[in-house]
Amino acid sequence: MAKQMTYSEAINDAIRLAMRKDENVILIGEDVAGGAEVDHLQNEGAWGGVFGVTKGIVEEFGRTRVLDTPIAEAGYMGAAVSAAATGLRPISELMFNDFIGSCLDEVMNQAAKFHYMFGGKAKVPLTIRTIDGAGFNAAAQHSQSLYALFTHIPGLKVVVPSSPYDIKGLLLTAIFDDDPVIVFEDKTLYGMKGEVGEGFYTIPFGKAEIKRAGKDLTIVGIGKQVYTALRAADQLAKKGFEAEVIDPRTLSPLDEDTIINSVKKTGRLIIVDEAYPRCSAATDIAAIVGDKAFDYLDAPIKRVTAPHSPVPFSPPLEKLYMPSPQKIIDAFSTMVGDNVFTTV
Amino acid sequence: MAKQMTYSEAINDAIRLAMRKDENVILIGEDVAGGAEVDHLQNEGAWGGVFGVTKGIVEEFGRTRVLDTPIAEAGYMGAAVSAAATGLRPISELMFNDFIGSCLDEVMNQAAKFHYMFGGKAKVPLTIRTIDGAGFNAAAQHSQSLYALFTHIPGLKVVVPSSPYDIKGLLLTAIFDDDPVIVFEDKTLYGMKGEVGEGFYTIPFGKAEIKRAGKDLTIVGIGKQVYTALRAADQLAKKGFEAEVIDPRTLSPLDEDTIINSVKKTGRLIIVDEAYPRCSAATDIAAIVGDKAFDYLDAPIKRVTAPHSPVPFSPPLEKLYMPSPQKIIDAFSTMVGDNVFTTV
Amino acid sequence: MQAGTKAGTKASVGDMTVEKAKWIYKKMQEIRQFENTVHGIFEKGEIPGFVHLYAGEEAVAVGVCAHLTDSDNITSTHRGHGHCIAKGCDIDGMMAEIFGRSTGLCKGKGGSMHIADVGKGMLGANGIVGAGLPLSIGAGLTAKVKKTDHVAVCFFGDGASNHGTFHESVNMAAIWKLPVIFVCENNGFGEASPFDYAAACDRVSDFAKAYKIAGETVDARNLQDVYEAAGKAVQRARKGEGPTILECLTYRDYGHFEGDTQTYKDKDVQEHALQENDPILRFQNYAKTNEWLSEEQMKAIDAEVKTEIEHAVKFAEESPFPEPSQLTTDVYVSY
Amino acid sequence: MQAGTKAGTKASVGDMTVEKAKWIYKKMQEIRQFENTVHGIFEKGEIPGFVHLYAGEEAVAVGVCAHLTDSDNITSTHRGHGHCIAKGCDIDGMMAEIFGRSTGLCKGKGGSMHIADVGKGMLGANGIVGAGLPLSIGAGLTAKVKKTDHVAVCFFGDGASNHGTFHESVNMAAIWKLPVIFVCENNGFGEASPFDYAAACDRVSDFAKAYKIAGETVDARNLQDVYEAAGKAVQRARKGEGPTILECLTYRDYGHFEGDTQTYKDKDVQEHALQENDPILRFQNYAKTNEWLSEEQMKAIDAEVKTEIEHAVKFAEESPFPEPSQLTTDVYVSY
Ligand SMILES: Cc1ncc(C[n+]2csc(CCOP(=O)(O)OP(=O)(O)O)c2C)c(N)n1
Ligand SMILES: Cc1ncc(C[n+]2csc(CCOP(=O)(O)OP(=O)(O)O)c2C)c(N)n1
Ligand SMILES: [Mg+2]
Ligand SMILES: [Mg+2]
């Protein structure tokens, strides 16, 4: 049975299912409920996070399991790490991924390293939910897509769901995974509707999804950029080029095989990533595929990314900042010879 | 005139020269002097940092310009950012780069973004000195090489000096540069001796150095890994293969041209980087070269890096963890066909 | 207090000259009208991004900045419009910035959350809660190293007082006796979380004692109370006597950000805040009762400000968006 | 206090039974001898990495952990050997870990700065100053959510008290009334920086008042003082009465890390610390004067501990290094 739901509702659904299934699952973060100890509020009508994603969860589970924290990211993230190590399965919300600056240590040096440093004797079944993405005119400190920083760090798993269906299944996998996982929710996707399975289901990590089959070009789109890739593919199709579009779904672990197999078929790869271009997920995938599928490549691997610049506020600048179908088509044009695509 | 100096002495020399030249240059960090307000110490015999690198500087310049801070990385790093924005040229020491977890915000969201967010109206002439590198059995939280995280972030410049000569010139460039710069000092290099120019000199950012010329293979070695690359090159030479070894010296900006020109000549590239392998400087360079020198590549670009794992404590494990000449030679072997190198 | 013969002619009340009182009244009006105007335009959907309004808190920014010059620095928050105006930022440039235009104070690259004007000593609104605290230390440090008598003021919220940077910064200011005034704008909430819930302390100024620095809490519905306490704190700072925590009890008239339903707010408190507790109204009454500024004088200022704000909106609306070439300029001074 | 007939036969002194006193004495000896031994071996160059010794501070870890069970959790610091021993970690496993051997508590992957034993409630030594503070909150939270009466103890240094995590953590513990005891080991220095320089406060416990929680400073050269204060704090925590800041004034006998020249230390203070102020000596004297543990009993314990430590060194030295295959295991539970 499937049901139409927004991305935001799918997250809410996943969290409720997890909390019903296992009383060790708690939700912690800034205003994840909202209005703590406000007399007249009685949990109803509480915010449920800055975008209302977790609305209603405090009504069902109460404030012992849905914890509003002070604005103290290092404090509550560190708390979530050791709550995980001592028997809970916290879902810790880092409101915007940009705020990792206040709690990187807890994620990078504690959560990610406990299992290894302690010789396998500690487990940190922690899920961090965080918001990323440009496109909302939220400017330089609220629009970043910092998944590369986390993919760099061994010990973490990194999830970049692009659809309501995926976010529900991947979030449930994350919550019941025994390693620390960070899930990136693109703020511009919250309102997106799609089919979502009813009840409890999981989607395994490290399994990419082929969103569209094709033989002439492989496009990997990270997070919401998979839609930019699909739009480009539609336009390319009109010119007779069939692009295969892949959503990696998780960056760590990365499903190298699906991407490489596709490239073996198409001979061409474009990676679409709205994050900063240097030491990025785009360069990562390019390097891996460039190594392992070298003999199959008919053209250089192209990356369509943000420029090496902070995210600008002004709407027209932000629009220019982002990957676009046209930029993908331009990249493809240079791969197949400039003349092919001058008119698109 | 040149002089034999250790890497550590070259840093000390650079800082003194800068502080003599411009009274706006200050040094700030934990125990950069040491023993503040200890009566009997009178600045003599003070630590000068945890490895003694800045020893004696407080004696010359006094405690107004050489500031020991509390253990409060966010606090003093943020202070350094705005001290820079309001007229000083602070050299801020982040004792180990691993501690960035306590002050990433100040570096990523403040220092790196002020100039852009404020439409070019603020400048942040801040130099962050920090210690990286494995090989000292300092374990998972004191051995990381996190330059990729900073290279990812637009607005920062990233410097990875490998020799006494370079650290002096690059550090002086950093101090008098008007952008925020982070300089990585590999802890295992502090004792290394080498020729250092006397007096004030600078080395431009974005200019790689060809450490050894060759025509069969290009090896880029990051930081101290340039020496691993050189050792591998020596061994390869014995087998008749001439490797060109390049030290990029700065990762942001990156001297793409020197690397690409070399690869155009050699047709082969190995990047040696002791940092984590994913979304790394190694994948970054591989992706860029794989794109721009595609037609010149005779073999896939190989990366010799740490495994996707925290740094282990135990000495034999840490040794295995690191790149080695043998690993480079093994990578080269797969590039040229397995049989060539079975005996090395 | 000097006696005056008729309304609007007193030379001063307390330490405050009529000149200053006019400046203060005008700044408060500028902020209020600016924010009300932005609120209205935002509702119509013409302003992009996140916007946090300062209306209701005017007495804090104005009462403090009344003691500062362009050489003194302030650090600000996500709710920065009031600080900008009080510190003398150009209102046309601010409005254009909020509209994302090339004529904005940051060329449209920053937006509401990042308005800055370093030349005016305004070190930037800041989207990161708690970030301004360490930044204020740096400005104080520059003053100390350069041996000027400039001060740095750190505006931060009650919510920010729970962030680690509060502790780190106040401690550093205290041990180095820096000329920093920590102005906590305690409006009772951090987003939808009450201060009483999120902070263990009764008053943010309670920490001053442990740090052995000056600390005080004032009712920031009264401009005069803020003005007086800030005056003393700035004076101490200029004389090298170290930092102060000045907690200002205030209220934000609008939601946390534009679009907030504010279900967590108490209706009664809100009503009082908007009526008898309104800082501008109180200042008006005070000025009148003390025969200090006349009703006419204030009305004239109101009208003048209205024109200014209308001009700003027009300026913003008529300004062009940044050129595409602007996308990657200003990332570095040189690269 | 119960009266006993001859030395070493008193059933208890104050709240402390003879059983407990023996355990305490033994633990203090274990720490002291362990550290002295590591010091000696490090000097010979046989121990890799950074090593921070706890000698001189034994009364803190032992006086506090005397009140804990394996179900209670502690967080620790870079100077963690004492906490490990007091919390019951296996000494052979600790020494092997410090030697980097596969039989170490962390299979040699962690080393001195990362010894952990989650089964014993020891959540790890930690190379990051201040990191243990938030971690203690999580352990307290688990106790609260699971409705157990377990407590969490956070050991942290005077230097760490200046880190932002101190403020964030104490505040959270206070507003949530968590069963956490914040034990500040104030040994007067953070590396080479005196507490009196780096911290604005007189006492770290001075902050308790602002947070409205219990706070106390004790002379941690007297085991009994720590024991008593910790007992009360643990009891409060178990009863749901919230957190405590317990500041313990102590001294580190060795340098900040092995290799430190310690030029910043006052010779006189050092001498006193190593002589009449030594916590083990003081405990010995107290036990003897109170006819509580006899000299012979203590000597027997000393000897027993000596054998244990020798065994640990032998165990470590004879243990193999980890296999190469261990390099990339334990990065993830599954990947
Ligand atoms: C580090 C960080 N954490 C969280 C946020 C999200 N956030 C923005 S404003 C705000 C509330 C701030 O409250 P307060 O400091 O009281 O200021 P006020 O909004 O009341 O003026 C929060 C949590 C942020 N911007 N930065
Ligand atoms: C975040 C961080 N900053 C700095 C350091 C370097 N460092 C290690 S121990 C230490 C001093 C700690 O002092 P204190 O907390 O008093 O503990 P003590 O060493 O006296 O036991 C410092 C600065 C670190 N490990 N982590
Ligand atoms: Mg507030
Ligand atoms: Mg200490």
Side-chain angles (χ1 to χ4, degrees):
Chain A
M1 276 287 295
K3 202 167 135 175
Q4 284 285 318
M5 258 190 209
T6 63
Y7 190 85
S8 165
E9 287 162 351
I11 295 166
N12 192 294
D13 193 30
I15 296 173
R16 284 180 199 256
L17 287 170
M19 292 184 76
R20 282 179 205 145
K21 190 182 164 83
D22 182 347
E23 64 181 11
N24 292 318
V25 177
I26 63 165
L27 179 63
I28 181 169
E30 290 160 18
D31 290 303
V32 286
E37 295 178 9
V38 169
D39 287 340
H40 70 267
L41 204 61
Q42 309 286 15
N43 297 347
E44 278 169 59
W47 269 30
V50 76
F51 286 106
V53 174
T54 50
K55 209 172 169 67
I57 293 181
V58 70
E59 273 146 271
E60 183 171 349
F61 300 99
R63 288 196 182 259
T64 307
R65 292 179 65 198
V66 183
L67 258 122
D68 284 346
T69 69
I71 307 173
E73 287 81 8
Y76 78 76
M77 195 61 78
V81 172
S82 65
T86 55
L88 299 180
R89 287 195 174 275
I91 305 168
S92 177
E93 177 177 303
L94 180 64
M95 195 186 295
F96 289 82
N97 76 148
D98 313 70
F99 306 164
I100 189 61
S102 294
C103 60
L104 180 67
D105 187 71
E106 286 64 31
V107 179
M108 175 176 83
N109 286 331
Q110 313 300 329
K113 295 187 177 37
F114 267 23
H115 192 61
Y116 190 82
M117 285 193 309
F118 301 162
K121 283 184 194 146
K123 282 192 310 192
V124 183
L126 166 68
T127 298
I128 301 171
R129 292 177 45 236
T130 193
I131 301 173
D132 73 320
F136 239 55
N137 310 120
Q141 293 174 335
H142 285 72
S143 303
Q144 298 172 91
S145 297
L146 297 172
Y147 31 74
L149 302 187
F150 300 88
T151 305
H152 187 56
I153 299 166
L156 299 178
K157 293 175 178 169
V158 180
V159 185
V160 285
S162 68
S163 72
Y165 182 86
D166 279 7
I167 184 89
K168 179 172 168 183
L170 290 166
L171 187 52
L172 282 168
T173 302
I175 296 168
F176 292 100
D177 192 284
D178 278 342
D179 292 307
V181 182
I182 180 160
V183 181
F184 287 84
E185 304 172 1
D186 190 301
K187 58 175 87 61
T188 68
L189 294 178
Y190 278 140
M192 172 196 237
K193 282 217 154 138
E195 289 242 311
V196 173
E198 266 187 292
F200 191 97
Y201 66 90
T202 58
I203 297 174
F205 290 167
K207 293 276 168 259
E209 193 191 358
I210 298 175
K211 290 287 207 182
R212 183 189 204 285
K215 59 174 188 11
D216 300 317
L217 166 68
T218 302
I219 315 181
V220 172
I222 294 168
K224 74 164 174 284
Q225 294 307 327
V226 78
Y227 300 110
T228 314
L230 286 169
R231 285 203 303 279
D234 282 345
Q235 296 188 30
L236 286 168
K238 289 181 196 149
K239 295 279 172 181
F241 296 99
E242 291 303 327
E244 180 144 303
V245 175
I246 296 176
D247 178 350
R249 295 207 283 209
T250 62
L251 293 174
S252 181
L254 177 70
D255 182 354
E256 298 181 1
D257 289 346
T258 297
I259 300 170
I260 289 170
N261 287 336
S262 175
V263 171
K264 284 184 177 170
K265 189 171 62 177
T266 64
R268 299 188 189 93
L269 174 62
I270 296 175
I271 303 146
V272 190
D273 178 8
E274 70 175 83
Y276 304 131
R278 304 286 318 278
C279 299
S280 62
T283 61
D284 189 67
I285 294 171
I288 292 169
V289 176
D291 178 5
K292 300 195 178 168
F294 182 76
D295 290 334
Y296 299 88
L297 287 173
D298 296 329
I301 298 170
K302 292 287 171 188
R303 288 154 288 128
V304 173
T305 68
H308 185 62
S309 153
V311 184
F313 164 67
S314 186
L317 288 187
E318 194 190 39
K319 196 147 183 284
L320 274 176
Y321 183 87
M322 301 288 276
S324 66
Q326 189 58 52
K327 289 179 191 169
I328 297 171
I329 290 163
D330 290 347
F332 182 69
S333 302
T334 68
M335 291 165 90
V336 293
D338 275 349
N339 304 331
V340 180
F341 247 99
T342 40
T343 57
V344 176
Chain B
M1 276 289 294
K3 201 167 135 174
Q4 284 286 317
M5 259 191 208
T6 64
Y7 191 85
S8 166
E9 286 162 353
I11 295 166
N12 191 295
D13 192 30
I15 296 172
R16 285 179 198 254
L17 287 170
M19 291 183 76
R20 282 180 206 145
K21 190 182 165 80
D22 183 347
E23 64 183 11
N24 292 319
V25 177
I26 63 166
L27 179 63
I28 180 169
E30 291 161 17
D31 290 303
V32 287
E37 295 177 9
V38 170
D39 287 340
H40 69 267
L41 205 61
Q42 309 288 16
N43 297 346
E44 277 169 60
W47 268 30
V50 76
F51 287 106
V53 174
T54 49
K55 208 172 170 70
I57 293 182
V58 70
E59 272 146 273
E60 182 171 350
F61 301 98
R63 289 196 181 259
T64 306
R65 292 179 65 197
V66 183
L67 257 123
D68 284 346
T69 70
I71 307 173
E73 286 80 9
Y76 78 77
M77 194 61 78
V81 172
S82 65
T86 55
L88 299 180
R89 288 195 173 274
I91 306 169
S92 177
E93 177 178 303
L94 179 64
M95 194 186 294
F96 289 82
N97 76 145
D98 314 70
F99 305 164
I100 188 62
S102 294
C103 60
L104 181 66
D105 188 71
E106 286 65 31
V107 179
M108 175 176 83
N109 286 331
Q110 312 301 328
K113 295 186 176 38
F114 267 22
H115 191 61
Y116 190 82
M117 286 193 309
F118 301 161
K121 283 185 195 145
K123 283 191 308 191
V124 183
L126 166 69
T127 299
I128 302 171
R129 292 177 45 237
T130 193
I131 302 173
D132 72 319
F136 239 55
N137 311 120
Q141 293 174 336
H142 284 72
S143 302
Q144 298 173 88
S145 296
L146 296 172
Y147 31 74
L149 302 186
F150 300 89
T151 305
H152 187 57
I153 299 166
L156 299 178
K157 293 175 178 170
V158 180
V159 185
V160 285
S162 68
S163 72
Y165 182 86
D166 279 6
I167 184 87
K168 180 172 167 183
L170 290 165
L171 187 52
L172 281 168
T173 303
I175 296 167
F176 292 101
D177 192 283
D178 278 342
D179 292 306
V181 182
I182 180 161
V183 181
F184 288 84
E185 304 172 1
D186 190 302
K187 59 175 85 61
T188 67
L189 295 178
Y190 278 139
M192 172 195 239
K193 282 217 155 135
E195 290 242 312
V196 172
E198 266 186 291
F200 191 97
Y201 66 90
T202 57
I203 297 175
F205 290 167
K207 294 276 168 257
E209 192 190 359
I210 298 174
K211 291 287 207 182
R212 182 191 206 284
K215 59 175 187 11
D216 300 316
L217 165 68
T218 303
I219 315 181
V220 172
I222 295 167
K224 73 165 175 281
Q225 294 307 327
V226 77
Y227 301 109
T228 314
L230 286 168
R231 286 203 302 279
D234 282 346
Q235 296 189 30
L236 286 168
K238 290 181 195 148
K239 294 280 172 180
F241 295 99
E242 291 304 328
E244 181 144 302
V245 176
I246 297 175
D247 178 350
R249 295 207 284 209
T250 63
L251 293 174
S252 181
L254 178 71
D255 181 354
E256 299 182 2
D257 289 347
T258 298
I259 300 170
I260 288 169
N261 287 335
S262 174
V263 171
K264 283 185 177 169
K265 187 171 64 176
T266 63
R268 298 187 189 95
L269 175 62
I270 296 175
I271 303 145
V272 189
D273 178 9
E274 71 174 83
Y276 304 131
R278 303 286 317 279
C279 299
S280 59
T283 61
D284 189 67
I285 294 170
I288 292 169
V289 176
D291 179 6
K292 300 194 177 169
F294 182 76
D295 290 334
Y296 299 89
L297 286 173
D298 297 329
I301 298 170
K302 293 287 172 188
R303 289 154 287 130
V304 173
T305 68
H308 185 62
S309 153
V311 184
F313 165 67
S314 186
L317 288 187
E318 195 192 38
K319 198 149 182 286
L320 273 176
Y321 183 87
M322 300 288 276
S324 65
Q326 187 58 52
K327 289 179 191 170
I328 297 171
I329 291 164
D330 290 347
F332 182 69
S333 302
T334 68
M335 290 164 91
V336 295
D338 275 348
N339 303 330
V340 180
F341 248 99
T342 39
T343 57
V344 177
Chain C
M1 206 195 286
Q2 269 185 263
T5 46
K6 58 179 180 119
T9 61
K10 279 190 186 175
S12 65
V13 174
D15 280 345
M16 202 190 293
T17 62
V18 168
E19 268 330 287
K20 193 56 104 179
K22 278 191 188 162
W23 181 89
I24 281 173
Y25 182 72
K26 184 168 179 205
K27 284 289 161 198
M28 292 212 290
Q29 271 298 341
E30 281 178 350
I31 297 174
R32 178 65 56 91
Q33 292 194 31
F34 188 94
E35 295 299 61
N36 287 348
T37 303
V38 170
H39 177 76
I41 300 174
F42 189 93
E43 279 198 327
K44 288 190 281 173
E46 288 167 28
I47 290 177
F50 296 132
V51 173
H52 308 79
L53 300 180
Y54 196 75
E57 312 191 11
E58 294 86 353
V60 183
V62 177
V64 172
C65 291
H67 301 283
L68 307 181
T69 76
D70 283 0
S71 306
D72 298 315
N73 285 295
I74 67 166
T75 68
S76 172
T77 68
H78 54 290
R79 199 176 301 290
H81 303 171
H83 309 135
C84 290
I85 292 175
K87 198 68 182 34
C89 291
D90 178 62
I91 287 181
D92 289 350
M94 284 180 61
M95 192 66 85
E97 188 59 36
I98 292 171
F99 274 73
R101 306 302 163 109
S102 66
T103 54
L105 278 180
C106 309
K107 303 184 193 163
K109 292 182 179 183
S112 165
M113 265 194 294
H114 307 295
I115 306 179
D117 195 343
V118 178
K120 296 273 184 196
M122 162 63 197
L123 296 178
N126 210 308
I128 303 298
V129 170
L133 286 145
L135 295 174
S136 70
I137 301 304
L141 202 57
T142 298
K144 190 174 175 184
V145 172
K146 289 184 177 269
K147 299 193 176 59
T148 65
D149 70 345
H150 306 152
V151 305
V153 171
C154 174
F155 292 103
F156 66 107
D158 52 291
S161 78
N162 298 317
H163 199 274
T165 50
F166 169 72
H167 176 49
E168 296 192 359
S169 304
V170 179
N171 185 55
M172 283 195 295
I175 65 167
W176 294 335
K177 277 201 169 235
L178 295 180
V180 179
I181 300 103
F182 298 99
V183 179
C184 181
E185 309 186 300
N186 190 339
N187 59 14
F189 288 93
E191 290 187 354
S193 288
F195 171 70
D196 292 344
Y197 165 75
C201 61
D202 285 324
R203 300 265 61 98
V204 173
S205 63
D206 289 351
F207 286 104
K209 202 165 166 202
Y211 295 110
K212 300 194 286 175
I213 61 170
E216 191 175 348
T217 298
V218 298
D219 178 357
R221 315 302 294 183
N222 292 325
L223 179 285
Q224 299 91 313
D225 293 0
V226 178
Y227 181 79
E228 210 174 292
K232 282 186 259 167
V234 169
Q235 214 166 17
R236 272 195 300 272
R238 290 209 201 284
K239 288 198 291 191
E241 292 170 11
T244 301
I245 299 177
L246 174 57
E247 181 180 22
C248 296
L249 302 181
T250 182
Y251 192 81
R252 62 167 151 79
D253 290 351
Y254 291 114
H256 167 62
F257 48 42
E258 289 306 273
D260 179 2
T261 51
Q262 306 182 63
T263 52
Y264 51 85
K265 275 195 182 174
D266 185 298
K267 292 265 180 302
D268 278 356
V269 176
Q270 168 97 351
E271 203 166 298
H272 283 290
L274 298 183
Q275 315 273 326
E276 67 266 36
N277 284 340
D278 179 75
I280 293 183
L281 210 75
R282 282 204 186 178
F283 189 77
Q284 285 171 339
N285 290 336
Y286 186 80
K288 277 186 284 184
T289 343
N290 282 278
E291 302 182 351
W292 188 22
L293 298 183
S294 69
E295 179 114 25
E296 296 73 54
Q297 282 175 320
M298 292 191 282
K299 285 218 166 119
I301 291 174
D302 296 356
E304 198 185 322
V305 169
K306 185 160 180 276
T307 312
E308 270 179 27
I309 303 293
E310 281 166 1
H311 183 273
V313 172
K314 192 155 178 282
F315 175 78
E317 284 175 343
E318 290 176 357
S319 290
F321 283 104
E323 291 297 315
S325 65
Q326 281 292 308
L327 179 60
T328 53
T329 53
D330 303 322
V331 181
Y332 295 93
V333 176
S334 66
Y335 194 60
Chain D
M1 206 194 286
Q2 269 182 262
T5 46
K6 56 177 182 126
T9 61
K10 279 190 182 173
S12 66
V13 174
D15 279 345
M16 203 191 293
T17 63
V18 168
E19 267 331 288
K20 192 57 102 179
K22 279 189 186 162
W23 181 90
I24 282 172
Y25 182 73
K26 184 169 180 205
K27 284 289 161 197
M28 292 212 290
Q29 271 297 341
E30 281 179 351
I31 297 174
R32 178 65 56 91
Q33 293 194 31
F34 189 94
E35 297 299 60
N36 287 347
T37 303
V38 169
H39 177 76
I41 300 173
F42 189 93
E43 281 199 327
K44 287 190 283 173
E46 287 169 28
I47 290 176
F50 296 133
V51 172
H52 308 80
L53 300 180
Y54 197 75
E57 310 191 12
E58 295 86 353
V60 183
V62 176
V64 172
C65 292
H67 301 283
L68 307 181
T69 75
D70 283 358
S71 306
D72 298 315
N73 285 295
I74 67 166
T75 67
S76 172
T77 67
H78 54 288
R79 198 176 302 291
H81 303 170
H83 310 135
C84 290
I85 291 175
K87 197 69 182 33
C89 291
D90 178 62
I91 288 181
D92 288 350
M94 285 179 60
M95 192 66 85
E97 188 59 36
I98 293 170
F99 275 73
R101 307 302 164 111
S102 66
T103 54
L105 278 180
C106 308
K107 304 184 191 162
K109 292 182 179 182
S112 165
M113 264 194 295
H114 307 295
I115 306 179
D117 196 342
V118 177
K120 295 273 185 198
M122 164 61 197
L123 296 178
N126 211 308
I128 304 298
V129 170
L133 286 144
L135 295 174
S136 71
I137 302 303
L141 202 56
T142 298
K144 189 174 176 184
V145 172
K146 288 184 179 270
K147 299 192 176 62
T148 64
D149 70 345
H150 306 152
V151 305
V153 171
C154 174
F155 292 103
F156 66 107
D158 52 291
S161 77
N162 298 318
H163 199 274
T165 50
F166 169 72
H167 176 50
E168 296 192 359
S169 304
V170 178
N171 185 54
M172 283 195 295
I175 65 167
W176 294 336
K177 277 202 168 232
L178 295 181
V180 178
I181 300 104
F182 297 98
V183 179
C184 181
E185 309 186 300
N186 190 338
N187 59 13
F189 288 93
E191 290 187 355
S193 287
F195 171 70
D196 293 344
Y197 165 75
C201 62
D202 284 323
R203 300 266 61 98
V204 173
S205 63
D206 289 351
F207 287 104
K209 202 164 168 208
Y211 294 110
K212 300 194 287 174
I213 60 170
E216 191 175 349
T217 298
V218 298
D219 177 358
R221 314 304 294 184
N222 291 326
L223 179 285
Q224 299 91 315
D225 293 358
V226 178
Y227 180 79
E228 211 175 289
K232 282 187 259 167
V234 169
Q235 212 166 18
R236 273 194 300 273
R238 289 209 201 284
K239 288 198 290 190
E241 293 169 11
T244 301
I245 299 177
L246 176 56
E247 181 180 23
C248 297
L249 303 181
T250 181
Y251 193 82
R252 62 168 151 78
D253 290 350
Y254 291 115
H256 167 62
F257 48 43
E258 289 306 275
D260 179 3
T261 49
Q262 306 182 62
T263 51
Y264 51 86
K265 275 193 183 177
D266 185 298
K267 293 266 178 305
D268 277 358
V269 175
Q270 168 98 351
E271 202 167 298
H272 283 290
L274 299 182
Q275 314 274 325
E276 66 267 36
N277 283 341
D278 180 76
I280 293 183
L281 210 74
R282 282 204 186 178
F283 189 76
Q284 284 171 340
N285 289 337
Y286 186 81
K288 277 186 283 183
T289 342
N290 282 277
E291 302 183 349
W292 188 21
L293 297 182
S294 68
E295 179 115 24
E296 295 75 52
Q297 282 176 319
M298 293 191 282
K299 285 218 167 122
I301 291 174
D302 295 355
E304 200 185 320
V305 169
K306 185 158 180 278
T307 312
E308 271 179 27
I309 303 295
E310 282 167 1
H311 182 273
V313 172
K314 194 156 177 283
F315 175 78
E317 284 175 343
E318 290 175 358
S319 291
F321 282 104
E323 291 297 316
S325 66
Q326 281 292 309
L327 179 60
T328 53
T329 54
D330 303 323
V331 181
Y332 294 94
V333 175
S334 65
Y335 195 59

